[in-house]
Amino acid sequence: MPGKVVLGAQWGDEGKGKITDLMADRMDFVVRYAGGNNAGHTVVCGDDEFKLHLMPSGILYPHITTVIGNGVVVNPKVLLEEMDNLHARGINCGKLRISCNAHLVMPYHMAFDRLGEVSLGSAKLGTTHRGIGPAYADKADRMGLRVQDLLDDKIFRTKLETALERKNAILVKAFDQEPFDADEIMAEYMGYAERLAPHIEDTSLLIYEALEEGKKVLFEGAQGTFLDIDHGTYPFVTSSSPTVGGVFTGTGVGPRHIDKIIGVAKAYTTRVGYGPFPTEQDNEVGETLGKMGVEFGTTTGRKRRCGWLDIVLLRYAVRVNSMTAIALTKLDVLSAFDRLKVCVGYSYQGKVYHDFPPHQTIFHKCEPEYLELPGWGSDITGITERADLPEEARRYVEFVEQAAGVPAEIISVGPKRTQTIWTPEGFEPRIEEGPYLYREDFEPPANNG
Ligand code: IMP
C-alpha cells in the first residue's frame, strides 16, 4: 500500500493539521518529515482543540504509530512538554517513534536565532525564534548533535564541547553574550535522554517495513511550499524542505512508495513573517479575512498577513510537488465578500508572468493581475455535499481546480472534522490548455455534483 503525502501549498498555516487528522483515521502511521517546533498544527476534535508543534497530528488516534523523521529538528524539551500535555488530556504517546538521525535543537541555536534576527535589522526574516535555522545550519556544517547522541553520554559530551568551542567564541566576541556551559547542557539533555530513549529507533527501516507489509502511511508536511529553502521565496523561508522532496530526504523512503500527494491551500492566502506577498491586502479586505479566518499564528500568536488567492503560486506548488490533488480550506471565510478576486498573473515592466517569475525582483515589485468572481454571501459552514454549495461557491472551487489542473478532493468549510466536503474518488477535472484556464462557459464535471 503506497504512502500519501499532505503538504502545504502556500506559506504554511493552510490547515494541514485538520486534513492530516481527517486522513489519519484510515492510516496506520503518520510521519513528520521536516521542520521543528516552528510549526503549529491545530486539530479540533469534538469540542477539544489540540495545538501540536512537534508531534505528528495522528497522535489523537490510539491505533496510529506517529513518527518524527530524520528531516525534523527536535527540541527535546518542547517534545517532552507536548507529550506531558497530551498525556494529561488522556492521549497516550507510547507509540511515538523518533528517528535516531534527527538533529537536536540546542539552547545555543535559539540564542543564535534571536541574535541573527537582531543583527539583520530591518532586513530580518521574522523567524519564530525557535532555533530552527541555526540547527539546520549546524546539520549542513556537520556540527549538529543527533537524537542518537543522547544514547551515549561520552559521544554527546565530545560533540557538545566541540560545538561550544566555536559557538561560545562567536557569542562572546561577536555578540558580547555570556557563553553556554557544557555541564549544564549535559545535565539537562541527559535528563531528556532517559525519557526519550524508549522512542528512538531507525525510523527509515520501520516505515519501509510498514509499507512493504501493506500498512498505510501518511507523510505530514509542516510549513509550506513557499517557505521551502530551495523552492520558496528565499531568503524569506524556513531552513528545511517542506516540499515533496523533503519526504524522501526527511524519512529515508523512496518515491516508489508514494501514490498520492495532497497540497493544502486556503481559499485565500496568508503569510507570517516578512517577505514579498503580491496579493496581500493591507486594507479592509485583509482585516476581514484575518477576522473571519482567525488568522493568528499557532506557534507565535502573531497576526498573519492576508490577501486574495494567488493562482500563479498555486500552479507552481502543484508543479514542484507533483501534487495529485488539493485540499481547499477555509472556503467559508470567503462568505464575507460579495465579489472575490483571484490573482492569475503578475505584471512587471510591461510583461505579464503566468508562472512563478525567474527573478526575485519581479516577484517583489510586480502588480497582481486579478480576475473577479462573484461571491455567494451566505453561510456554508453546515454544508457537507458539494452539490449543496451555492452556485458561486461551486464555480470558485471549479475555477481553482481548472487553474491548478488537479481536483479539490477535500473542501473545508469550518474547523471541525464534520465541516468537510469530500469529492468522490475518481473525480477528474477538465484540464484545458493555455496559461490560465478559466472559461466563462465552464461546466462542472458530471460526477462532482
Ligand atoms: P523559522 O522557520 O523560525 O526560521 O522562520 C522562517 C520563516 O518561516 C518566518 O517567516 C516564519 O514566520 C516562517 N514560518 C516558520 N514556520 C512556520 C509555520 O509553521 N507557519 C507559517 N510560517 C512559518
Side-chain angles (χ1 to χ4, degrees):
M1 165 60 67
K4 324 261 179 237
V5 180
V6 170
L7 50 75
Q10 293 160 326
W11 274 291
D13 310 316
E14 301 93 347
K16 295 179 292 296
K18 170 175 168 172
I19 304 303
T20 307
D21 174 62
L22 281 169
M23 293 180 63
D25 193 10
R26 294 174 245 161
M27 297 291 148
D28 300 301
F29 284 69
V30 175
V31 183
R32 267 281 300 268
Y33 61 86
N37 63 308
N38 49 348
H41 292 164
T42 306
V43 180
V44 178
C45 180
D47 290 331
D48 289 329
E49 190 174 87
F50 294 86
K51 295 206 182 287
L52 306 172
H53 297 283
L54 265 168
M55 190 65 78
S57 298
I59 193 71
L60 303 185
Y61 295 94
H63 70 277
I64 286 181
T65 303
T66 49
V67 179
I68 293 181
N70 59 277
V72 176
V73 286
V74 178
N75 181 326
K77 181 170 188 269
V78 172
L79 180 58
L80 285 165
E81 278 169 9
E82 210 163 301
M83 287 165 76
D84 288 341
N85 287 338
L86 285 163
H87 182 74
R89 295 176 71 182
I91 311 284
N92 187 342
C93 299
K95 281 185 163 171
L96 171 71
R97 316 314 302 154
I98 308 166
S99 167
C100 50
N101 292 338
H103 278 243
L104 293 169
V105 176
M106 305 297 288
Y108 46 83
H109 291 141
M110 284 171 280
F112 276 103
D113 199 350
R114 275 192 306 275
L115 293 165
E117 283 283 87
V118 173
S119 66
L120 280 172
S122 62
K124 69 180 171 186
L125 309 177
T127 74
T128 59
H129 289 182
R130 300 299 191 264
I132 306 301
Y136 279 111
D138 275 359
K139 174 177 175 176
D141 203 15
R142 291 147 298 182
M143 282 263 293
L145 277 86
R146 293 186 294 173
V147 166
Q148 61 176 283
D149 297 330
L150 290 169
L151 303 177
D152 185 321
D153 58 348
K154 285 199 192 66
I155 292 180
F156 192 92
R157 181 175 280 279
T158 308
K159 289 190 175 179
L160 176 63
E161 285 176 353
T162 309
L164 280 184
E165 233 172 86
R166 263 204 250 173
K167 302 294 168 192
N168 281 341
I170 302 169
L171 279 171
V172 173
K173 290 187 193 134
F175 291 106
D176 199 19
Q177 298 285 308
E178 289 293 313
F180 280 90
D181 181 71
D183 291 337
E184 264 177 44
I185 297 179
M186 272 303 285
E188 183 187 340
Y189 276 64
M190 286 304 117
Y192 304 144
E194 205 171 306
R195 290 193 59 198
L196 290 178
H199 299 274
I200 300 170
E201 72 174 270
D202 177 352
T203 52
S204 164
L205 181 62
L206 176 77
I207 304 165
Y208 176 81
E209 287 179 344
L211 285 161
E212 289 290 309
E213 277 170 29
K215 298 259 167 60
K216 297 174 199 147
V217 180
L218 182 67
F219 297 90
E220 174 185 25
Q223 288 83 44
T225 298
F226 294 92
L227 290 174
D228 187 280
I229 185 94
D230 286 285
H231 304 292
T233 49
Y234 191 90
F236 299 98
V237 293
T238 190
S239 301
S240 66
S241 304
T243 51
V244 75
V247 173
F248 310 120
T249 56
T251 66
V253 167
R256 178 169 66 81
H257 286 103
I258 309 286
D259 79 334
K260 199 179 250 299
I261 301 159
I262 298 187
V264 186
K266 272 180 194 159
Y268 50 99
T269 312
T270 64
R271 134 164 247 181
V272 280
Y274 300 99
F277 179 178
T279 64
E280 180 171 18
Q281 298 297 304
D282 194 9
N283 53 30
E284 214 176 295
V285 169
E287 285 293 317
T288 306
L289 286 169
K291 202 166 117 215
M292 303 308 289
V294 197
E295 296 296 353
F296 293 93
T298 311
T299 301
T300 58
R302 286 180 293 177
K303 202 171 167 186
R304 295 178 186 140
R305 299 156 64 193
C306 298
W308 296 117
L309 182 65
D310 189 330
I311 290 291
V312 182
L313 295 188
L314 186 59
R315 284 161 55 88
Y316 175 86
V318 169
R319 171 163 64 84
V320 300
N321 290 299
S322 281
M323 276 180 208
T324 57
I326 50 172
L328 194 65
T329 59
K330 292 195 161 184
L331 186 66
D332 54 300
V333 171
L334 296 185
S335 297
F337 300 92
D338 291 337
R339 305 285 303 167
L340 303 169
K341 285 190 180 177
V342 184
C343 170
V344 291
Y346 302 141
S347 164
Y348 179 70
Q349 293 190 337
K351 190 170 167 195
V352 178
Y353 295 82
H354 297 294
D355 288 303
F356 191 62
H359 199 283
Q360 59 200 344
T361 306
I362 306 168
F363 191 63
H364 279 250
K365 298 199 170 158
C366 68
E367 276 299 318
E369 297 256 308
Y370 287 113
L371 203 116
E372 265 196 35
L373 298 174
W376 47 93
S378 60
D379 182 11
I380 57 169
T381 56
I383 293 176
T384 53
E385 294 291 331
R386 195 154 157 159
D388 295 337
L389 282 172
E391 167 72 19
E392 296 82 359
R394 283 213 309 276
R395 284 180 71 86
Y396 189 83
V397 175
E398 285 150 13
F399 171 75
V400 174
E401 287 177 321
Q402 268 193 317
V406 287
E409 285 187 355
I410 301 170
I411 302 164
S412 173
V413 291
K416 295 194 174 155
R417 282 178 179 170
T418 47
Q419 291 176 302
T420 310
I421 300 169
W422 295 85
T423 294
E425 287 282 341
F427 164 75
E428 291 282 340
R430 276 187 10 190
I431 305 189
E432 306 287 335
E433 294 296 324
Y436 40 99
L437 309 151
Y438 179 69
R439 285 203 338 245
E440 268 304 320
D441 63 342
F442 174 68
E443 283 173 27
N447 65 344
N448 80 338

